[in-house]
Amino acid sequence: MSVARRPLLTAATAGTLLCALWFVPSANATADRPAEPSAAPSPAPAPVAGDGGQGLRLAETGSVDTTPYLAGGAACLAIGAGFVAFSVRRGAARPA
C-alpha cells in the first residue's frame, strides 16, 4: 500500500467511526411527550414529625463517585501519550 494513501484511509476510518457514533442513542432524562395530567390532583405530602414542617424530602445519597471516570480518563490519556511518543520515535528513526 502506498504511503500517500495511509492518511486518506485514516481519515476515512475516523469519519466512518464518527458517523456511526452519531446514531448511538443518547440517554435523556426527559420524556419525548409531556406527561398527561391525571384526572384527580395528587394530594400534597403530609409533613413528617420532626422535619420542621418542610414536608417529605428525598434521601441524601451523597456525592457522585468519580473515581472510575478519573481512572479511565487517566488510562486513555496515558495510552494516547504512548501512541504519540511511539509515532514520534518511529518517525525520527526513519531515514530521510
Side-chain angles (χ1 to χ4, degrees), residues 13-90:
T13 304
T16 303
L17 179 64
L18 287 174
C19 287
L21 288 176
W22 180 271
F23 293 102
V24 174
S26 61
N28 293 330
T30 59
D32 290 338
R33 302 181 261 152
E36 297 176 12
S38 60
S42 60
V48 177
D51 70 349
Q54 302 229 352
L56 296 176
R57 294 189 300 183
L58 296 176
E60 297 276 337
T61 58
S63 65
V64 177
D65 183 20
T66 58
T67 305
Y69 300 105
L70 291 175
C76 288
L77 183 64
I79 290 170
F83 279 138
V84 168
F86 176 73
S87 298
V88 168
R89 189 174 199 189
R90 186 174 175 187

